[in-house]
Amino acid sequence: MSARDDEAARLQSVALENARSILQARLRAEEELVRAKESLELKTRELAYSLAMMHATLESTTDGILMADSNGQVTGFNETFVQMWRLPREFMDFRGHLQIAKAISQNFNDPQRFLGRIEEIYATSPPESYDLLELIDGRVFERFSRIQFVEDRNVGRVWSLRDITAHRQAQEALANQSERLRVTLASIGDAVITTDTQGRVASLNEMAESLTGWIEAEAAGQPLETVFHIVNETTRNPVESPAIKALREGVVVGLANHTVLIAKDGTERGIDDSAAPIRSSDGEVIGCVLVFRDITEHRRAEQALHRSERDLSDFFANASIGLHWVGPGGIILRANQTELDLLGYSREEYVGRHLAEFHVDLPVIDDILARLTRGDTLNEYPARLRCKDGSIRDVLINSNVYFEDGKFIHTRCFTRDVTDRKRAEEALRRSEARKTAMFETALDCIISINHEGAIVEFNPAAEQTFGHRREDVLGRELAAVIIPPAYRERHRKGLALYLVTGEGPVINQRLELSALRADGTEFPVELTVTRIPVDGPPLFTAYLRDITLRKQAEEELRERERQFETLAESIPQLAWMANPDGHIFWYNRRWYEYTGTTLEQMQGWGWQEVHDPDVLPSVLEKWKGSIATGTPFDMVFPLRGADGVFRPFLTRVVPVKNLEERVTRWFGTNTDISEQRRAEEQLRQLAADLSESDHRKDEFLAMLAHELRNPLAPIRNALQIVQLSKGDEQAVQTASEMMDRQIRHMVRLVDDLLDVSRISRGKIDLRRERVELASIIHQAVESSRPAIESGQHQLTVTLPPTPVYLNADPVRLAQVFSNLLNNASKYSEPKGRISLTVEQNGSEVTVSVKDTGMGIPSGMLPKIFEMFTQVNTSLERSQGGLGIGLTLVERLVAMHGGSVSALSEGPGRGSEFVVRLPIMIETPNTQQPSEPIVSEPTRKTPRRILVVDDNRDSATTLAMLLKLTGNETQSVHDGLAAVETAETFRPDVILLDIGLPKLNGYEVARKIREQPWGKSMVLVALTGWGQEEDRRKSREAGFNGHLVKPVDLDNLMKLLAELETQKT
Amino acid sequence: MTIPTEPIGSIPRPLELVEAVAKMDGADPALDSLYDEAIRDTIRRFEATGSPVITDGEQRKYHNFWTYCVHGLPNTAPDGFQIPFAAGHTRRMPRLTGGPFRYKRHADSYLDVAMRYARVPVKQAVISPSALSLMYPSEEIPGYSREQFIDDLLREHETEVRACLRKRAHKVQIDFTEGRLAVKIDPSGNLLHSFIDLNNLALSRFSAEDRKRIGVHTCPGGDRDSTHSSDVDYSKLLPSLFELKAGNFYIALAGEQDRVRVLKIIRDCIKADQRVFIGVVAPIDPRIESPEEIRDRILEAAAYIPIEQLGTTDDCGFSPFCDDTSTSRDTAFAKIRARVLGTALAADILGGG
């Protein structure tokens, strides 16, 4: 099936479904039609019944009735009519009314007048007409006709005749009463006319005469219509007098509306009247009284009322407010266009519908209907109506209820569309609520004033801040309440200026001013004044905030910033501050000094100028990262100084945050770490050096143990030889010499070691003197001779032709050259060549010691003078020594103002050490006399010598040596024993160790010197401490001499000889 | 004597109006000035043709003659039935999605505007209840029965027609183009009878006097120079059509191939109190008929239809769908002018005889 066929099938399906519903609707319509037909039939039957009833009525009435259509064709009559005119019954068949009237006219004296009157009625078709007919036979008939309408259609005229002959006769009697009545009537304010039963004027009172223009005499007997000529105000048609009707019907009749009385002179007056039949005592009508009054004024009022009603009707149609009438049951009866336009319905859609169909809220419409049913009015009743387009309108309904004869007819409802107003009110209400809430709860003071400066609003915050109660200040002038006296006049002038020119320099500006509290204190406030946009005189609202605390805080902040800047200026680092976005606004003085820049160059991001371009990107990346995250910045990068040199700076930047943890600024420092870097480098180097030294020290200790152990073995062997070779003098001699060599070697090792230590610690003193270099060289060569000879080396010494004098310590210089010669010997193969050459070069002299030995690797040359350095430290290649000799050489030469350098062309190529020393310029007169050489005199008298040493072996062996050399000796081992023995032994000389138990050497010396017997004793200190300081202390304690262990016996003897010489 | 002649209704809209409507909602108040100008111009040119009765050209039926009254209703969906046309295109109706059914707008509102500008009588076309009945879907809408819908539909239609009559529309013409379509869809005739019943239920609500001013128009449905049911034989439609309780019938004839056959059917079916306006110009034919040609067609018709029951009209509106620009305004008015002149010529001849 195609889509089109499918569509057609669906369409057919719908149509057929509809057809069923249409059929049902048709059936319903047909049923309604049947019901309508049945209803019509019922009505037809009812009509027939009504006709029958009417016919019966016609026949039963005493009046003669004739009915004719508008063309004058007789459509019905009753028998009374026929009988009244005494006509043949068949005469009535197929006759027109005029034909019948023509026959009837014969009963009158003036038949033509009667006929004319009938023709006039047909011609003019008055709704009603009346005539009094007097027949020739004396009967009097009243003739009355009225047009009949059925469903607004003119169906003809009914003519009725009434025989009033009997009534006429009664009028006679009535005349008698008329005079009395006339007098009575003359005195009343209303006009009164009485008539007889024929409607003829019987009397007029004065007011009636005045209004009708007729005097009674003229009017009497006149038909009332003549005297009381009234016409319809609008149509100008004659109007039947109510008196006539009252006569006719015997009831009280009011005048028809819109009736004008035409006076005899033609003047017209609106009248109001009533007529009543005058009855005889037996109730028979004998005349009529017509009472009327001039209601011209009343009529004017009525016309005004009619205009008002017409206006009301126009208002209904054209009113801008919606109007609708609601009938019983809530059906809308009527609605004006405004109402329809409001809701968008056509009249057909709205009128005739139930009110509830248009109301949104069911409870509301229930209530409205209940009220309307009770006849209540609605007053500004809010409701919501649904428009045709589905939208909803808010309306206010007012109503009034219209009753007729106490019966509810309808309610008039006025519908006022307040949708926009309601929305606006809702918006306004919300706005007011927000404003009130804001006003009441605002932390800021809100004060409003009017154009006269009087306070009209004063919120709770203002009460609290200013100490005034709102009710106390409302209406008072603002200036007098919160403005300090000094500013009041300015405020008043400013307000006046604004009112005149509309210009106000303070309007919408944020200002800081002083304000006045109720207690008279002034305080700072922040103020903003705005004009409230209202019609009429302006209103102003001021928003004030007590900024006392803020001001204090700002002052504290400024003070802190001053302190901070002072502090930042005082620190050695470069320092700066930046805004939260990284914009640097301040640098300390050191920054400008270092970089040589100005704030103008550097502020913001200008600092990039002094950065290394290669490093800058990483600095920017990290700095921007810190700004974004608020985290501290820590980085080392170079900054270019004013001298163009980049130096490393450690830069640290910390965020300064407020209480809300928000960054308020950045504080940064740049610390120059050039020196630190150098120190670190040095430290690293030092650590490396220490490591090297430590390594060399370890080697040294191993070497020291080795070097010290080497002599011990031969010494021990020699001792054993001495012990075993008793009596063998030669063997003892050889062993003794061997021991002496080994011990000297050990002493030299220890001396060198101590010397190096002393030099390192600055403890060594040079004993400078003028000395000839050649003697020093000679002494050195002698000292080294054993080693040179041992190696069978060939030593060549070359001296300059003229003596070279130095200001030097000859012992220490001899030690220098001896060490160099020993080294040359030590590192040279047996029979190698060693040369010592002295050359004078200007103001200095060079001493070169050169060998053909093993040489020095080039890598060793720079550190050959360092402590514990040896070219080859392997045991098998070891040449002995502690590796401190060259160190000692270098430092001693340096102490003499000279220098030493090592040269070598490499391993196996020999070495050369060159010492440069300043020479002393030779001046003949300054030559110092040489010291006399003191020699040991031969001692003939043995000395009494006390040896005191806590080292018993040392004390014993020294005492033995002295005894062997012819002296008397004793030895003790502590200080007290020394003093006691000295007193008893009374020695000549006491060799006293310093470090003694019980009493040290100094104390022993002092005690001995305190004794009379001790004053002349020779006291010699024997100690391991040989510095000048040590010597001074021993001198102060009373010692005569000072010797350093181990004591050489020759030196001891030489000293004792000198001391004894000095004593003598 | 005169032979009454009346238009059907629609006149092509000015192009600027068609374009504007295509860009925005046709009910947008921004279009009011364009609509107003189009109506004023249409009436001016209509009156210039000499047509004794005019329309507003349906300028403001911005969607079409069928759905103008329901277009934009919130309780409709656009996926209603499609009306297929011979040219291949379709037009789709809205579908009712919920009750109650109310017109969004009534045609008397168009009449209000037209009467302001017109100096000759104005007729107003409205859509038939049967056409709108197809909006109710095949499935029952929950809470809103088909019977309720039919009642609402009849009341809305009655309201619209009464309003037009009250506002002194010369005629109120009920567009019943779906009559012929109904025969096409359901050759058994049941659908057509259903439509007739429904429309008669509405027409029954009017007095005989009112019905003298009410007419029914049928045609094969013209749109873009095409029709939806021209292939349906009039013999299937006309006997039922004249059962409608209307005083006037506007029947497309100019486009028929065998007009005499149709005239005979009309002759056999028309009642004494009915007048038939035969179509003497064909809007879907771009050729402009000559007055003489039209005259001859009327004379031809007068041979079968009593002259006192005869009138002339156009076969169809010139632009029942507002976006149909297949015919120009100039052509439409030229054809109308030819109808007026041709009718006058025929009247002269018939009156003289």
Side-chain angles (χ1 to χ4, degrees):
Chain A
M1 181 181 281
S2 70
R4 181 168 288 207
D5 291 341
D6 186 46
E7 191 76 15
R10 287 176 57 208
L11 187 57
Q12 188 174 14
S13 168
V14 168
L16 294 178
E17 287 292 333
N18 286 349
R20 277 191 276 276
S21 298
I22 292 166
L23 180 59
Q24 289 175 4
R26 180 179 163 186
L27 290 175
R28 284 198 302 276
E30 287 174 355
E31 285 171 2
E32 287 176 7
L33 194 62
V34 168
R35 281 196 294 276
K37 186 180 177 185
E38 289 171 352
S39 173
L40 183 63
E41 288 172 355
L42 180 62
K43 284 185 173 11
T44 304
R45 283 195 297 275
E46 288 172 349
L47 181 63
Y49 175 76
S50 297
L51 285 172
M53 287 297 294
M54 187 179 78
H55 184 70
T57 303
L58 275 176
E59 294 305 327
S60 63
T61 182
T62 57
D63 289 346
I65 305 294
L66 179 140
M67 292 171 286
D69 64 17
S70 56
N71 297 319
Q73 291 296 314
V74 175
T75 58
F77 56 90
N78 64 359
E79 280 300 317
T80 304
F81 183 88
V82 177
Q83 289 171 7
M84 284 177 77
W85 295 110
R86 297 165 185 166
L87 294 170
R89 176 67 182 79
E90 58 275 13
F91 188 80
M92 298 301 290
D93 295 340
F94 309 111
R95 298 293 178 110
H97 185 198
L98 289 176
Q99 289 174 293
I100 294 171
K102 195 171 182 180
I104 289 172
S105 67
Q106 299 307 313
N107 289 293
F108 298 98
N109 289 325
D110 188 352
Q112 196 56 46
R113 184 184 170 200
F114 174 76
L115 284 174
R117 173 65 177 154
I118 298 300
E119 287 171 351
E120 178 196 350
I121 291 172
Y122 273 110
T124 60
S125 293
E128 293 178 339
S129 68
Y130 176 84
D131 287 312
L132 189 68
L133 306 177
E134 293 182 351
L135 279 65
I136 296 172
D137 61 7
R139 287 185 297 163
V140 179
F141 289 174
E142 282 183 327
R143 187 201 56 76
F144 182 78
S145 76
R146 176 184 288 168
I147 295 175
Q148 293 296 316
F149 291 91
V150 175
E151 294 182 349
D152 297 333
R153 205 151 55 88
N154 183 343
V155 296
R157 185 174 290 266
V158 176
W159 302 78
S160 61
L161 291 165
R162 178 167 293 170
D163 186 347
I164 60 167
T165 308
H167 295 168
R168 186 75 177 274
Q169 290 169 350
Q171 287 178 338
E172 300 291 332
L174 287 174
N176 297 328
Q177 298 176 5
S178 62
E179 180 59 23
R180 290 199 304 272
L181 187 61
R182 189 187 64 79
V183 173
T184 303
L185 295 177
S187 63
I188 64 174
D190 286 343
V192 179
I193 299 176
T194 60
T195 70
D196 59 17
T197 54
Q198 302 302 311
R200 297 178 187 278
V201 174
S203 65
L204 289 82
N205 69 355
E206 290 180 4
M207 183 58 72
E209 287 180 338
S210 170
L211 295 180
T212 61
W214 288 78
I215 60 174
E216 188 175 44
E218 294 172 338
Q222 292 286 338
L224 181 61
E225 293 87 341
T226 305
V227 177
F228 187 65
H229 181 200
I230 55 176
V231 297
N232 182 282
E233 181 184 59
T234 307
T235 65
R236 308 297 296 179
N237 290 330
V239 176
E240 183 189 38
S241 165
I244 302 303
K245 189 173 182 183
L247 283 171
R248 185 174 66 244
E249 300 180 2
V251 295
V252 177
V253 178
L255 188 63
N257 292 331
H258 312 299
T259 305
V260 172
L261 173 67
I262 304 175
K264 191 177 180 183
D265 61 1
T267 57
E268 297 184 0
R269 289 184 181 85
I271 60 167
D272 191 7
D273 68 2
S274 64
I278 304 170
R279 295 179 186 274
S280 63
S281 57
D282 58 359
E284 185 183 354
V285 175
I286 58 172
C288 173
V289 57
L290 175 68
V291 182
F292 58 100
R293 65 181 58 165
D294 183 356
I295 58 160
T296 305
E297 290 304 319
H298 178 67
R299 182 63 53 81
R300 287 198 186 103
E302 263 191 349
Q303 286 170 347
L305 180 62
H306 289 157
R307 278 197 302 274
S308 173
E309 286 177 347
R310 197 164 55 246
D311 290 346
L312 190 63
S313 182
D314 290 345
F315 165 74
F316 181 87
N318 302 314
S320 60
I321 192 169
L323 288 169
H324 62 278
W325 292 8
V326 181
I331 299 301
I332 299 171
L333 303 176
R334 187 176 173 187
N336 72 348
Q337 195 58 41
T338 303
E339 176 101 358
L340 298 173
D341 291 345
L342 171 65
L343 300 176
Y345 297 100
S346 65
R347 200 172 299 283
E348 290 73 18
E349 293 167 333
Y350 195 61
V351 175
R353 298 281 177 91
H354 194 277
L355 194 60
E357 293 182 44
F358 304 99
H359 273 263
V360 175
D361 304 304
L362 289 179
V364 170
I365 187 58
D366 288 346
D367 184 48
I368 289 177
L369 289 175
R371 287 168 184 253
L372 297 186
T373 304
R374 289 198 303 268
D376 291 349
T377 58
L378 303 177
N379 183 23
E380 296 291 281
Y381 194 99
R384 295 193 300 156
L385 297 180
R386 178 177 292 106
C387 299
K388 185 176 179 181
D389 62 4
S391 62
I392 292 172
R393 308 297 295 182
D394 286 293
V395 299
L396 290 177
I397 301 175
N398 288 278
S399 77
N400 54 45
V401 185
Y402 180 61
F403 293 96
E404 273 185 10
D405 299 332
K407 181 184 175 187
F408 170 73
I409 301 302
H410 61 248
T411 296
R412 299 157 179 160
C413 295
F414 298 80
T415 309
R416 186 145 52 92
D417 182 12
V418 294
T419 306
D420 293 340
R421 192 187 81 188
K422 194 150 184 179
R423 287 173 186 160
E425 283 176 352
E426 178 62 18
L428 182 62
R429 189 184 62 73
R430 290 182 181 174
S431 171
E432 285 296 327
R434 281 196 300 273
K435 182 181 162 191
T436 302
M438 187 175 70
F439 182 80
E440 293 296 331
T441 61
L443 295 175
D444 286 346
C445 307
I446 303 176
I447 303 173
S448 297
I449 62 171
N450 62 16
H451 65 289
E452 295 174 333
I455 296 171
V456 295
E457 287 290 356
F458 203 77
N459 76 337
E463 288 182 315
Q464 188 173 6
T465 301
F466 288 95
H468 289 291
R469 293 191 308 166
R470 180 173 181 271
E471 55 268 33
D472 295 338
V473 298
L474 287 184
R476 289 180 60 191
E477 188 197 12
L478 177 75
V481 176
I482 68 162
I483 299 178
Y487 306 113
R488 286 175 186 166
E489 200 50 39
R490 194 164 70 187
H491 163 77
R492 289 171 182 137
K493 287 181 178 175
L495 179 59
L497 177 68
Y498 181 82
L499 293 175
V500 173
T501 65
E503 294 177 359
V506 304
I507 296 291
N508 296 325
Q509 300 296 318
R510 187 180 291 270
L511 306 170
E512 291 186 2
L513 300 170
S514 286
L516 189 66
R517 291 193 185 91
D519 61 7
T521 57
E522 290 188 21
F523 65 104
V525 293
E526 184 179 87
L527 164 74
T528 303
V529 180
T530 60
R531 177 176 172 169
I532 304 171
V534 295
D535 296 333
L539 292 175
F540 305 91
T541 292
Y543 299 86
L544 301 99
R545 180 178 297 172
D546 182 351
I547 57 171
T548 304
L549 294 177
R550 196 189 83 193
K551 282 286 184 186
Q552 290 171 352
E554 285 175 355
E555 183 54 36
E556 288 172 6
L557 180 64
R558 277 195 291 275
E559 180 57 28
R560 280 206 301 274
E561 285 186 346
R562 279 195 293 272
Q563 293 173 353
F564 173 76
E565 288 183 11
T566 303
L567 180 67
E569 288 292 1
S570 66
I571 61 176
Q573 287 95 340
L574 316 185
W576 46 268
M577 284 187 284
N579 289 328
D581 61 358
H583 180 100
I584 297 180
F585 60 87
W586 178 86
Y587 293 92
N588 69 350
R589 183 174 44 78
R590 291 188 183 279
W591 172 279
Y592 300 121
E593 288 173 355
Y594 173 73
T595 59
T597 59
T598 63
L599 177 61
E600 287 71 28
Q601 294 172 285
M602 292 290 103
Q603 65 184 353
W605 296 76
W607 46 266
Q608 298 175 62
E609 284 182 21
V610 296
H611 273 249
D612 183 341
D614 293 337
V615 183
L616 183 59
S618 62
V619 175
L620 283 171
E621 181 183 0
K622 185 162 184 178
W623 175 222
K624 288 176 180 175
S626 286
I627 291 170
T629 58
T631 52
F633 175 95
D634 197 332
M635 190 176 185
V636 173
F637 49 74
L639 292 175
R640 189 182 63 226
D643 56 2
V645 175
F646 281 100
R647 295 180 181 80
F649 280 82
L650 169 62
T651 298
R652 287 207 168 98
V653 191
V654 291
V656 181
K657 298 183 178 180
N658 59 14
L659 291 177
E660 288 86 34
E661 284 297 307
R662 203 172 63 243
V663 176
T664 57
R665 63 182 48 175
W666 295 90
F667 178 69
T669 58
N670 310 94
T671 305
D672 185 351
I673 56 170
S674 305
E675 289 303 325
Q676 183 183 333
R677 280 282 170 87
R678 276 195 288 273
E680 284 175 357
E681 186 58 36
Q682 287 175 347
L683 197 60
R684 273 196 298 277
Q685 188 60 46
L686 186 60
D689 292 350
L690 280 174
S691 177
E692 177 67 16
S693 296
D694 191 51
H695 175 66
R696 286 202 300 268
K697 182 193 72 183
D698 290 342
E699 290 180 345
F700 164 74
L701 289 174
M703 190 65 69
L704 180 61
H706 176 71
E707 289 297 317
L708 289 176
R709 193 179 293 116
N710 281 345
L712 289 177
I715 290 171
R716 179 177 290 167
N717 292 339
L719 283 173
Q720 287 177 348
I721 290 168
V722 170
Q723 288 171 354
L724 295 173
S725 307
K726 291 182 177 172
D728 185 350
E729 290 293 333
Q730 183 60 43
V732 172
Q733 179 64 33
T734 303
S736 297
E737 290 175 354
M738 182 182 66
M739 282 193 291
D740 184 62
R741 283 197 303 275
Q742 293 303 325
I743 286 169
R744 286 180 184 277
H745 177 65
M746 288 179 68
V747 169
R748 190 171 65 246
L749 286 175
V750 173
D751 283 348
D752 282 353
L753 197 56
L754 289 174
D755 284 345
V756 169
S757 173
R758 289 177 189 136
I759 291 170
S760 297
R761 292 184 287 124
K763 296 286 188 180
I764 196 165
D765 297 324
L766 292 180
R767 294 186 173 185
R768 288 179 181 264
E769 59 187 50
R770 179 176 179 275
V771 59
E772 188 188 2
L773 179 58
S775 65
I776 293 172
I777 298 298
H778 177 71
Q779 189 173 345
V781 170
E782 288 303 313
S783 295
S784 301
R785 186 168 300 282
I788 294 168
E789 289 178 351
S790 172
Q792 299 177 340
H793 298 126
Q794 183 181 347
L795 175 63
T796 306
V797 176
T798 307
L799 295 172
T802 56
V804 175
Y805 291 94
L806 305 174
N807 180 24
D809 184 332
V811 176
R812 292 305 180 185
L813 275 190
Q815 189 180 354
V816 166
F817 298 125
S818 173
N819 273 349
L820 292 176
L821 289 171
N822 285 342
N823 261 8
S825 171
K826 188 190 300 181
Y827 294 106
S828 296
E829 296 297 329
K831 300 181 180 175
R833 292 192 302 278
I834 298 172
S835 62
L836 188 153
T837 307
V838 179
E839 292 180 353
Q840 182 179 351
N841 297 310
S843 60
E844 69 174 16
V845 64
T846 60
V847 180
S848 166
V849 178
K850 190 174 181 180
D851 62 56
T852 58
M854 59 188 294
I856 304 169
S858 60
M860 289 294 291
L861 282 174
K863 51 186 180 182
I864 195 70
F865 295 105
E866 293 177 9
M867 190 95 74
F868 315 128
T869 297
Q870 285 187 320
V871 172
N872 191 330
T873 57
S874 61
L875 288 174
E876 57 274 26
R877 294 279 298 178
S878 174
Q879 302 304 313
L882 296 173
I884 58 177
L886 288 177
T887 303
L888 196 56
V889 166
E890 186 205 28
R891 294 188 184 181
L892 287 173
V893 169
M895 288 179 72
H896 281 88
S899 65
V900 60
S901 57
L903 306 169
S904 173
E905 295 178 358
R909 305 292 296 272
S911 306
E912 180 181 11
F913 290 85
V914 179
V915 176
R916 293 179 173 77
L917 290 167
I919 61 174
M920 178 178 274
I921 303 303
E922 186 62 32
T923 51
N925 294 330
T926 58
Q927 186 172 357
Q928 296 293 319
S930 59
E931 291 182 358
I933 296 172
V934 178
S935 59
E936 165 80 52
T938 302
R939 178 74 183 189
K940 300 300 182 186
T941 305
R943 298 184 181 93
R944 295 166 64 89
I945 300 175
L946 175 61
V947 177
V948 185
D949 196 332
D950 59 342
N951 187 321
R952 290 177 181 273
D953 288 344
S954 179
T956 301
T957 53
L958 181 57
M960 284 175 66
L961 278 173
L962 293 170
K963 193 174 182 178
L964 287 172
T965 55
N967 297 298
E968 184 182 354
T969 64
Q970 282 195 11
S971 62
V972 296
H973 311 296
D974 63 63
L976 286 176
V979 176
E980 290 169 358
T981 306
E983 185 175 7
T984 57
F985 183 52
R986 299 291 175 98
D988 300 314
V989 174
I990 300 176
L991 303 177
L992 186 59
D993 188 13
I994 297 300
L996 289 173
K998 297 180 183 177
L999 287 175
N1000 64 32
Y1002 300 126
E1003 291 169 331
V1004 171
R1006 288 192 191 95
K1007 284 188 177 296
I1008 291 172
R1009 290 298 185 207
E1010 289 173 359
Q1011 302 304 318
W1013 43 264
K1015 295 189 185 304
S1016 60
M1017 286 181 184
V1018 173
L1019 302 181
V1020 175
L1022 291 178
T1023 177
W1025 312 104
Q1027 298 304 305
E1028 183 55 35
E1029 177 64 16
D1030 302 324
R1031 294 174 190 276
R1032 181 184 62 75
K1033 285 167 72 176
S1034 61
R1035 276 199 302 275
E1036 290 174 355
F1039 282 97
N1040 302 99
H1042 188 108
L1043 289 174
V1044 179
K1045 292 178 184 177
V1047 177
D1048 182 274
L1049 187 57
D1050 290 344
N1051 290 338
L1052 177 58
M1053 289 299 108
K1054 195 181 296 182
L1055 175 63
L1056 290 176
E1058 289 175 4
L1059 293 174
E1060 287 171 348
T1061 304
Q1062 290 172 6
K1063 275 179 72 176
T1064 59
Chain B
M1 67 167 295
T2 57
I3 298 174
T5 184
E6 297 177 8
I8 290 299
S10 61
I11 297 293
R13 285 76 172 166
L15 283 178
E16 57 269 34
L17 177 60
V18 174
E19 290 169 359
V21 169
K23 289 176 185 169
M24 61 179 83
D25 179 6
D28 194 320
L31 295 172
D32 281 353
S33 59
L34 276 178
Y35 281 130
D36 207 55
E37 181 53 37
I39 292 167
R40 198 195 308 246
D41 184 65
T42 300
I43 288 175
R44 181 182 61 76
R45 297 186 65 178
F46 228 134
E47 290 178 340
T49 64
S51 183
V53 178
I54 63 169
T55 70
D56 66 350
E58 301 185 355
Q59 302 297 289
R60 194 134 196 166
K61 284 185 179 175
Y62 57 81
H63 199 243
N64 59 60
F65 74 103
W66 193 319
T67 62
Y68 68 89
C69 54
V70 296
H71 186 75
L73 278 178
N75 54 341
T76 60
D79 57 346
F81 291 109
Q82 287 182 344
I83 309 300
F85 285 79
H89 69 282
T90 60
R91 293 286 188 176
R92 190 179 279 278
M93 287 186 64
R95 175 175 60 84
L96 190 68
T97 58
F101 176 76
R102 298 281 187 274
Y103 279 13
K104 176 86 172 173
R105 60 191 66 76
H106 292 97
D108 62 287
S109 62
Y110 309 138
L111 196 58
D112 289 335
V113 180
M115 296 291 260
R116 284 208 295 268
Y117 301 123
R119 287 173 295 183
V120 299
V122 180
K123 71 181 284 188
Q124 180 61 51
V126 300
I127 191 61
S128 68
S130 53
L132 294 175
S133 71
L134 297 175
M135 287 179 66
Y136 196 98
S138 57
E139 301 79 20
E140 191 90 354
I141 295 174
Y144 187 59
S145 69
R146 199 177 300 273
E147 284 71 25
Q148 286 176 294
F149 167 67
I150 295 294
D151 285 346
D152 286 343
L153 173 61
L154 289 171
R155 190 184 59 250
E156 291 296 308
H157 175 76
E158 179 191 358
T159 300
E160 183 176 51
V161 174
R162 282 199 189 285
C164 293
L165 291 173
R166 191 177 62 253
K167 292 180 179 176
R168 303 192 308 280
H170 177 70
K171 291 279 179 55
V172 178
Q173 172 189 289
I174 298 169
D175 287 336
F176 183 53
T177 63
E178 72 279 11
R180 209 158 155 168
L181 182 64
V183 177
K184 182 178 180 182
I185 294 169
D186 179 18
S188 73
N190 287 334
L191 180 55
L192 175 63
H193 293 150
S194 166
F195 283 177
I196 296 291
D197 280 349
L198 180 60
N199 293 333
N200 266 341
L201 281 172
L203 289 166
S204 298
R205 300 186 178 195
F206 296 92
S207 68
E209 285 298 313
D210 287 338
R211 282 184 228 149
K212 287 179 182 174
R213 292 166 60 199
I214 296 174
V216 175
H217 165 57
T218 186
C219 71
D223 181 31
R224 299 182 187 171
D225 293 344
S226 176
T227 62
H228 57 54
S229 55
S230 61
D231 51 341
V232 173
D233 193 325
Y234 260 141
S235 66
K236 303 277 188 185
L237 171 69
L238 294 181
S240 297
L241 183 73
F242 282 102
E243 291 300 320
L244 285 170
K245 297 171 182 174
N248 305 279
F249 292 86
Y250 304 86
I251 297 174
L253 188 62
E256 289 296 313
Q257 291 186 341
D258 188 349
R259 289 194 299 275
V260 171
R261 179 171 173 272
V262 176
L263 288 168
K264 286 178 179 175
I265 296 172
I266 294 172
R267 178 193 62 192
D268 295 341
C269 298
I270 191 168
K271 295 184 174 65
D273 58 349
Q274 295 174 334
R275 183 189 288 272
V276 62
F277 291 77
I278 57 166
V280 292
V281 296
I284 63 172
D285 182 355
R287 183 180 64 84
I288 297 168
E289 297 84 350
S290 69
E292 292 74 19
E293 186 180 0
I294 290 168
R295 175 200 62 198
D296 293 344
R297 287 178 182 175
I298 298 168
L299 296 177
E300 179 184 62
Y304 300 93
I305 311 293
I307 189 68
E308 63 274 13
Q309 289 181 274
L310 183 62
T312 63
T313 185
D314 310 315
D315 264 9
C316 187
F318 286 90
S319 180
F321 292 84
C322 73
D323 58 353
D324 179 6
T325 55
S326 57
T327 303
S328 71
R329 283 167 72 82
D330 290 342
T331 299
F333 286 119
K335 281 175 170 275
I336 290 168
R337 186 176 188 78
R339 166 168 59 78
V340 172
L341 293 174
T343 303
L345 289 175
D348 285 346
I349 295 170
L350 292 171

